[in-house]
PDB file of all heavy atoms in Angstrom:
ATOM      1  N   CYS A 403     -52.870 188.459 116.563  1.00 94.00           N
ATOM      2  CA  CYS A 403     -51.647 188.281 115.714  1.00 94.00           C
ATOM      3  C   CYS A 403     -50.655 187.192 116.083  1.00 94.00           C
ATOM      4  O   CYS A 403     -49.774 186.890 115.366  1.00 94.00           O
ATOM      5  CB  CYS A 403     -50.903 189.681 115.734  1.00 94.00           C
ATOM      6  SG  CYS A 403     -51.825 191.136 115.047  1.00 94.00           S
ATOM      7  N   GLY A 404     -50.822 186.628 117.261  1.00 93.00           N
ATOM      8  CA  GLY A 404     -50.030 185.564 117.773  1.00 93.00           C
ATOM      9  C   GLY A 404     -48.734 186.170 118.325  1.00 93.00           C
ATOM     10  O   GLY A 404     -47.812 185.320 118.713  1.00 93.00           O
ATOM     11  N   ARG A 405     -48.613 187.434 118.486  1.00 94.00           N
ATOM     12  CA  ARG A 405     -47.426 188.018 119.097  1.00 94.00           C
ATOM     13  C   ARG A 405     -47.801 189.485 119.545  1.00 94.00           C
ATOM     14  O   ARG A 405     -48.758 190.102 118.871  1.00 94.00           O
ATOM     15  CB  ARG A 405     -46.205 188.009 118.175  1.00 94.00           C
ATOM     16  CG  ARG A 405     -46.483 188.861 116.827  1.00 94.00           C
ATOM     17  CD  ARG A 405     -45.496 188.629 115.730  1.00 94.00           C
ATOM     18  NE  ARG A 405     -44.099 188.887 116.022  1.00 94.00           N
ATOM     19  CZ  ARG A 405     -43.157 189.065 115.178  1.00 94.00           C
ATOM     20  NH1 ARG A 405     -43.445 188.759 113.878  1.00 94.00           N
ATOM     21  NH2 ARG A 405     -41.880 189.188 115.564  1.00 94.00           N
ATOM     22  N   ALA A 406     -47.176 190.006 120.488  1.00 95.00           N
ATOM     23  CA  ALA A 406     -47.441 191.335 120.877  1.00 95.00           C
ATOM     24  C   ALA A 406     -46.836 192.383 119.851  1.00 95.00           C
ATOM     25  O   ALA A 406     -45.940 192.090 119.231  1.00 95.00           O
ATOM     26  CB  ALA A 406     -46.807 191.655 122.215  1.00 95.00           C
ATOM     27  N   ILE A 407     -47.494 193.534 119.776  1.00 97.00           N
ATOM     28  CA  ILE A 407     -47.057 194.598 118.976  1.00 97.00           C
ATOM     29  C   ILE A 407     -46.623 195.730 119.937  1.00 97.00           C
ATOM     30  O   ILE A 407     -47.388 196.316 120.720  1.00 97.00           O
ATOM     31  CB  ILE A 407     -48.096 195.186 117.975  1.00 97.00           C
ATOM     32  CG1 ILE A 407     -48.524 194.056 117.077  1.00 97.00           C
ATOM     33  CG2 ILE A 407     -47.598 196.402 117.265  1.00 97.00           C
ATOM     34  CD1 ILE A 407     -49.706 194.361 116.152  1.00 97.00           C
ATOM     35  N   GLU A 408     -45.300 196.021 120.027  1.00 97.00           N
ATOM     36  CA  GLU A 408     -44.814 196.918 120.938  1.00 97.00           C
ATOM     37  C   GLU A 408     -44.215 198.191 120.337  1.00 97.00           C
ATOM     38  O   GLU A 408     -43.382 198.134 119.387  1.00 97.00           O
ATOM     39  CB  GLU A 408     -43.624 196.179 121.703  1.00 97.00           C
ATOM     40  CG  GLU A 408     -43.099 196.914 122.877  1.00 97.00           C
ATOM     41  CD  GLU A 408     -42.004 196.148 123.664  1.00 97.00           C
ATOM     42  OE1 GLU A 408     -41.662 195.025 123.218  1.00 97.00           O
ATOM     43  OE2 GLU A 408     -41.457 196.726 124.508  1.00 97.00           O
ATOM     44  N   ILE A 409     -44.621 199.356 120.840  1.00 97.00           N
ATOM     45  CA  ILE A 409     -44.020 200.663 120.279  1.00 97.00           C
ATOM     46  C   ILE A 409     -42.742 200.900 121.017  1.00 97.00           C
ATOM     47  O   ILE A 409     -42.684 201.179 122.246  1.00 97.00           O
ATOM     48  CB  ILE A 409     -45.020 201.817 120.539  1.00 97.00           C
ATOM     49  CG1 ILE A 409     -46.377 201.605 119.940  1.00 97.00           C
ATOM     50  CG2 ILE A 409     -44.422 203.102 119.936  1.00 97.00           C
ATOM     51  CD1 ILE A 409     -47.397 202.500 120.228  1.00 97.00           C
ATOM     52  N   ILE A 410     -41.663 200.869 120.199  1.00 97.00           N
ATOM     53  CA  ILE A 410     -40.266 201.074 120.763  1.00 97.00           C
ATOM     54  C   ILE A 410     -39.775 202.406 120.647  1.00 97.00           C
ATOM     55  O   ILE A 410     -39.112 202.929 121.564  1.00 97.00           O
ATOM     56  CB  ILE A 410     -39.235 200.081 120.108  1.00 97.00           C
ATOM     57  CG1 ILE A 410     -39.699 198.605 120.320  1.00 97.00           C
ATOM     58  CG2 ILE A 410     -37.900 200.293 120.486  1.00 97.00           C
ATOM     59  CD1 ILE A 410     -39.608 198.074 121.771  1.00 97.00           C
ATOM     60  N   ALA A 411     -40.035 203.076 119.579  1.00 97.00           N
ATOM     61  CA  ALA A 411     -39.575 204.408 119.326  1.00 97.00           C
ATOM     62  C   ALA A 411     -40.592 205.248 118.567  1.00 97.00           C
ATOM     63  O   ALA A 411     -41.515 204.771 117.821  1.00 97.00           O
ATOM     64  CB  ALA A 411     -38.401 204.283 118.397  1.00 97.00           C
ATOM     65  N   VAL A 412     -40.435 206.524 118.741  1.00 97.00           N
ATOM     66  CA  VAL A 412     -41.289 207.636 117.975  1.00 97.00           C
ATOM     67  C   VAL A 412     -40.462 208.725 117.571  1.00 97.00           C
ATOM     68  O   VAL A 412     -39.390 209.074 118.137  1.00 97.00           O
ATOM     69  CB  VAL A 412     -42.571 208.020 118.919  1.00 97.00           C
ATOM     70  CG1 VAL A 412     -43.467 207.012 119.149  1.00 97.00           C
ATOM     71  CG2 VAL A 412     -41.999 208.650 120.125  1.00 97.00           C
ATOM     72  N   SER A 413     -40.996 209.481 116.594  1.00 96.00           N
ATOM     73  CA  SER A 413     -40.321 210.645 116.121  1.00 96.00           C
ATOM     74  C   SER A 413     -41.366 211.699 115.712  1.00 96.00           C
ATOM     75  O   SER A 413     -42.360 211.267 115.144  1.00 96.00           O
ATOM     76  CB  SER A 413     -39.387 210.434 115.012  1.00 96.00           C
ATOM     77  OG  SER A 413     -38.785 211.570 114.463  1.00 96.00           O
ATOM     78  N   ALA A 414     -41.162 212.976 116.142  1.00 94.00           N
ATOM     79  CA  ALA A 414     -42.091 214.040 115.667  1.00 94.00           C
ATOM     80  C   ALA A 414     -41.387 215.372 115.725  1.00 94.00           C
ATOM     81  O   ALA A 414     -40.223 215.417 116.352  1.00 94.00           O
ATOM     82  CB  ALA A 414     -43.354 214.061 116.501  1.00 94.00           C
ATOM     83  N   ARG A 415     -42.019 216.439 115.300  1.00 91.00           N
ATOM     84  CA  ARG A 415     -41.284 217.768 115.262  1.00 91.00           C
ATOM     85  C   ARG A 415     -41.082 218.350 116.660  1.00 91.00           C
ATOM     86  O   ARG A 415     -40.047 218.737 117.050  1.00 91.00           O
ATOM     87  CB  ARG A 415     -42.073 218.713 114.522  1.00 91.00           C
ATOM     88  CG  ARG A 415     -42.005 218.536 112.909  1.00 91.00           C
ATOM     89  CD  ARG A 415     -42.630 219.610 112.197  1.00 91.00           C
ATOM     90  NE  ARG A 415     -43.070 219.217 110.865  1.00 91.00           N
ATOM     91  CZ  ARG A 415     -44.129 219.624 110.256  1.00 91.00           C
ATOM     92  NH1 ARG A 415     -44.776 220.639 110.628  1.00 91.00           N
ATOM     93  NH2 ARG A 415     -44.345 219.223 109.013  1.00 91.00           N
ATOM     94  N   ASP A 416     -42.121 218.207 117.501  1.00 88.00           N
ATOM     95  CA  ASP A 416     -42.151 218.916 118.740  1.00 88.00           C
ATOM     96  C   ASP A 416     -42.362 217.987 119.935  1.00 88.00           C
ATOM     97  O   ASP A 416     -43.372 217.468 120.178  1.00 88.00           O
ATOM     98  CB  ASP A 416     -43.277 219.967 118.814  1.00 88.00           C
ATOM     99  CG  ASP A 416     -43.279 220.859 120.108  1.00 88.00           C
ATOM    100  OD1 ASP A 416     -42.405 220.639 120.909  1.00 88.00           O
ATOM    101  OD2 ASP A 416     -44.164 221.764 120.129  1.00 88.00           O
ATOM    102  N   ARG A 417     -41.200 217.738 120.671  1.00 86.00           N
ATOM    103  CA  ARG A 417     -41.221 216.757 121.736  1.00 86.00           C
ATOM    104  C   ARG A 417     -42.110 217.257 122.864  1.00 86.00           C
ATOM    105  O   ARG A 417     -42.705 216.382 123.628  1.00 86.00           O
ATOM    106  CB  ARG A 417     -39.770 216.648 122.193  1.00 86.00           C
ATOM    107  CG  ARG A 417     -39.665 215.457 123.269  1.00 86.00           C
ATOM    108  CD  ARG A 417     -38.132 215.041 123.449  1.00 86.00           C
ATOM    109  NE  ARG A 417     -38.004 213.962 124.260  1.00 86.00           N
ATOM    110  CZ  ARG A 417     -36.918 213.275 124.506  1.00 86.00           C
ATOM    111  NH1 ARG A 417     -35.823 213.702 123.868  1.00 86.00           N
ATOM    112  NH2 ARG A 417     -36.844 212.207 125.267  1.00 86.00           N
ATOM    113  N   SER A 418     -42.232 218.602 123.098  1.00 83.00           N
ATOM    114  CA  SER A 418     -42.992 219.085 124.227  1.00 83.00           C
ATOM    115  C   SER A 418     -44.545 219.135 124.057  1.00 83.00           C
ATOM    116  O   SER A 418     -45.216 219.220 125.038  1.00 83.00           O
ATOM    117  CB  SER A 418     -42.507 220.440 124.627  1.00 83.00           C
ATOM    118  OG  SER A 418     -42.720 221.353 123.513  1.00 83.00           O
ATOM    119  N   ARG A 419     -44.975 218.928 122.927  1.00 87.00           N
ATOM    120  CA  ARG A 419     -46.383 219.097 122.595  1.00 87.00           C
ATOM    121  C   ARG A 419     -47.197 218.007 123.302  1.00 87.00           C
ATOM    122  O   ARG A 419     -46.776 216.833 123.221  1.00 87.00           O
ATOM    123  CB  ARG A 419     -46.624 219.013 121.165  1.00 87.00           C
ATOM    124  CG  ARG A 419     -48.040 219.184 120.630  1.00 87.00           C
ATOM    125  CD  ARG A 419     -48.187 219.164 119.159  1.00 87.00           C
ATOM    126  NE  ARG A 419     -49.533 218.914 118.818  1.00 87.00           N
ATOM    127  CZ  ARG A 419     -49.930 218.496 117.536  1.00 87.00           C
ATOM    128  NH1 ARG A 419     -48.912 218.335 116.642  1.00 87.00           N
ATOM    129  NH2 ARG A 419     -51.104 218.284 117.263  1.00 87.00           N
ATOM    130  N   ASP A 420     -48.279 218.369 123.798  1.00 85.00           N
ATOM    131  CA  ASP A 420     -49.285 217.408 124.541  1.00 85.00           C
ATOM    132  C   ASP A 420     -50.197 216.797 123.462  1.00 85.00           C
ATOM    133  O   ASP A 420     -51.012 217.552 122.880  1.00 85.00           O
ATOM    134  CB  ASP A 420     -50.074 218.034 125.619  1.00 85.00           C
ATOM    135  CG  ASP A 420     -50.992 217.074 126.345  1.00 85.00           C
ATOM    136  OD1 ASP A 420     -50.796 215.842 126.084  1.00 85.00           O
ATOM    137  OD2 ASP A 420     -51.832 217.473 127.053  1.00 85.00           O
ATOM    138  N   ARG A 421     -50.027 215.561 123.128  1.00 87.00           N
ATOM    139  CA  ARG A 421     -50.907 214.955 122.077  1.00 87.00           C
ATOM    140  C   ARG A 421     -51.891 213.958 122.648  1.00 87.00           C
ATOM    141  O   ARG A 421     -52.542 213.311 121.903  1.00 87.00           O
ATOM    142  CB  ARG A 421     -49.872 214.114 121.143  1.00 87.00           C
ATOM    143  CG  ARG A 421     -48.894 214.955 120.430  1.00 87.00           C
ATOM    144  CD  ARG A 421     -47.901 214.142 119.609  1.00 87.00           C
ATOM    145  NE  ARG A 421     -47.055 214.961 118.735  1.00 87.00           N
ATOM    146  CZ  ARG A 421     -45.990 215.551 119.241  1.00 87.00           C
ATOM    147  NH1 ARG A 421     -45.524 215.444 120.470  1.00 87.00           N
ATOM    148  NH2 ARG A 421     -45.254 216.267 118.406  1.00 87.00           N
ATOM    149  N   GLY A 422     -51.993 214.017 124.003  1.00 88.00           N
ATOM    150  CA  GLY A 422     -53.018 213.177 124.644  1.00 88.00           C
ATOM    151  C   GLY A 422     -52.732 211.735 124.646  1.00 88.00           C
ATOM    152  O   GLY A 422     -53.620 210.836 124.748  1.00 88.00           O
ATOM    153  N   ILE A 423     -51.389 211.348 124.460  1.00 91.00           N
ATOM    154  CA  ILE A 423     -51.013 209.947 124.472  1.00 91.00           C
ATOM    155  C   ILE A 423     -49.860 209.760 125.412  1.00 91.00           C
ATOM    156  O   ILE A 423     -49.071 210.736 125.726  1.00 91.00           O
ATOM    157  CB  ILE A 423     -50.628 209.501 123.068  1.00 91.00           C
ATOM    158  CG1 ILE A 423     -49.613 210.390 122.458  1.00 91.00           C
ATOM    159  CG2 ILE A 423     -51.835 209.325 122.136  1.00 91.00           C
ATOM    160  CD1 ILE A 423     -49.052 210.069 121.084  1.00 91.00           C
ATOM    161  N   ASP A 424     -49.694 208.523 125.938  1.00 88.00           N
ATOM    162  CA  ASP A 424     -48.611 208.296 126.900  1.00 88.00           C
ATOM    163  C   ASP A 424     -47.385 207.673 126.080  1.00 88.00           C
ATOM    164  O   ASP A 424     -47.473 206.639 125.520  1.00 88.00           O
ATOM    165  CB  ASP A 424     -49.153 207.269 127.936  1.00 88.00           C
ATOM    166  CG  ASP A 424     -48.061 206.891 128.928  1.00 88.00           C
ATOM    167  OD1 ASP A 424     -47.074 207.610 129.034  1.00 88.00           O
ATOM    168  OD2 ASP A 424     -48.397 205.941 129.791  1.00 88.00           O
ATOM    169  N   LEU A 425     -46.217 208.410 126.239  1.00 92.00           N
ATOM    170  CA  LEU A 425     -45.069 208.084 125.564  1.00 92.00           C
ATOM    171  C   LEU A 425     -44.013 207.628 126.455  1.00 92.00           C
ATOM    172  O   LEU A 425     -42.792 207.547 126.089  1.00 92.00           O
ATOM    173  CB  LEU A 425     -44.546 209.201 124.597  1.00 92.00           C
ATOM    174  CG  LEU A 425     -45.484 209.667 123.526  1.00 92.00           C
ATOM    175  CD1 LEU A 425     -44.892 210.840 122.812  1.00 92.00           C
ATOM    176  CD2 LEU A 425     -45.823 208.556 122.625  1.00 92.00           C
ATOM    177  N   LYS A 426     -44.407 207.347 127.723  1.00 92.00           N
ATOM    178  CA  LYS A 426     -43.409 206.924 128.654  1.00 92.00           C
ATOM    179  C   LYS A 426     -42.779 205.567 128.345  1.00 92.00           C
ATOM    180  O   LYS A 426     -43.511 204.708 127.914  1.00 92.00           O
ATOM    181  CB  LYS A 426     -44.047 206.874 130.152  1.00 92.00           C
ATOM    182  CG  LYS A 426     -44.289 208.160 130.820  1.00 92.00           C
ATOM    183  CD  LYS A 426     -44.483 208.018 132.329  1.00 92.00           C
ATOM    184  CE  LYS A 426     -45.788 207.908 132.796  1.00 92.00           C
ATOM    185  NZ  LYS A 426     -47.000 208.494 132.454  1.00 92.00           N
ATOM    186  N   GLY A 427     -41.438 205.480 128.467  1.00 92.00           N
ATOM    187  CA  GLY A 427     -40.783 204.252 128.180  1.00 92.00           C
ATOM    188  C   GLY A 427     -40.533 204.045 126.598  1.00 92.00           C
ATOM    189  O   GLY A 427     -39.955 202.951 126.294  1.00 92.00           O
TER     190      GLY A 427
END
């Protein structure tokens, strides 16, 4: 893409649910 794609923010119903993904930072 010629530039990085960075996940800055997320939103979902349940913050405590384990989705098997790393959301640190």
